[in-house]
Amino acid sequence: MTKEQLIKDCLQLEGSYLDHPYGEFADVIKNKSGKSFAVIGILTDKDIASIKKNCDSNVLIEAGNINITMKCPPELIHPFREKYTALIPGYYSNKNHWNTIILNKDVPYEEVLKMVQLSYDLVVSKGNKNG
């Protein structure tokens, strides 16, 4: 899977658009209300050092790996992390509400897309409640 394909698949969700509020290194996918539901990037050596320092994962992480960070219901955070070694606490995110997946490891792409949909639904639902 490529970063471009993942972005394209995320943009298939209604009202989604690509933004770069953190600079060109992070592709942020937002819903029509401007709420982020996915952040896609490519890991650098600095990212890897931070992940290894803050995360107890057995997945082999290398510079150049594609990653996606998505919102997740708190009750599913730990079951997902227990099921997949390439799914870690949200990188640069609230670790109780966001997960990061290192792509092309042990999380099937179909599961990644289901999690993208789940994140989108959570953000859209929250946006609707707040007006």
Side-chain angles (χ1 to χ4, degrees):
M1 132 129 41
T2 66
K3 180 179 162 190
E4 292 73 21
Q5 183 61 49
L6 180 58
I7 292 169
K8 180 180 174 185
D9 288 339
C10 289
L11 293 174
Q12 296 300 310
L13 297 171
E14 182 182 347
S16 298
Y17 66 95
L18 181 61
D19 195 11
H20 294 98
Y22 310 116
E24 291 300 315
F25 65 91
D27 296 300
V28 179
I29 313 296
K30 296 182 176 184
N31 70 5
K32 62 185 174 186
S33 299
K35 302 288 184 183
S36 302
F37 67 91
V39 180
I40 302 166
I42 297 177
L43 295 177
T44 65
D45 289 329
K46 181 180 175 186
D47 297 324
I48 293 167
S50 179
I51 288 170
K52 288 182 178 181
K53 178 181 173 188
N54 296 303
C55 175
D56 186 24
S57 174
N58 295 324
V59 68
L60 176 63
I61 303 173
E62 300 171 314
N65 286 151
I66 304 162
N67 69 93
I68 181 169
T69 301
M70 299 169 287
K71 195 165 180 84
C72 184
E75 65 274 10
L76 295 178
I77 288 277
H78 294 290
F80 282 153
R81 291 178 191 166
E82 290 168 9
K83 185 173 183 179
Y84 300 110
T85 60
L87 196 149
I88 59 175
Y91 184 55
Y92 283 123
S93 303
N94 181 322
K95 306 220 182 321
N96 295 317
H97 296 278
W98 293 78
N99 278 327
T100 295
I101 299 173
I102 310 302
L103 297 177
N104 302 317
K105 302 290 183 185
D106 69 339
V107 183
Y109 192 56
E110 298 77 30
E111 284 296 305
V112 173
L113 293 179
K114 287 179 187 177
M115 291 180 209
V116 167
Q117 182 69 56
L118 181 61
S119 180
Y120 173 86
D121 292 344
L122 284 168
V123 172
V124 167
S125 153
K126 183 178 180 184
N128 288 340
K129 289 179 186 174
N130 295 332

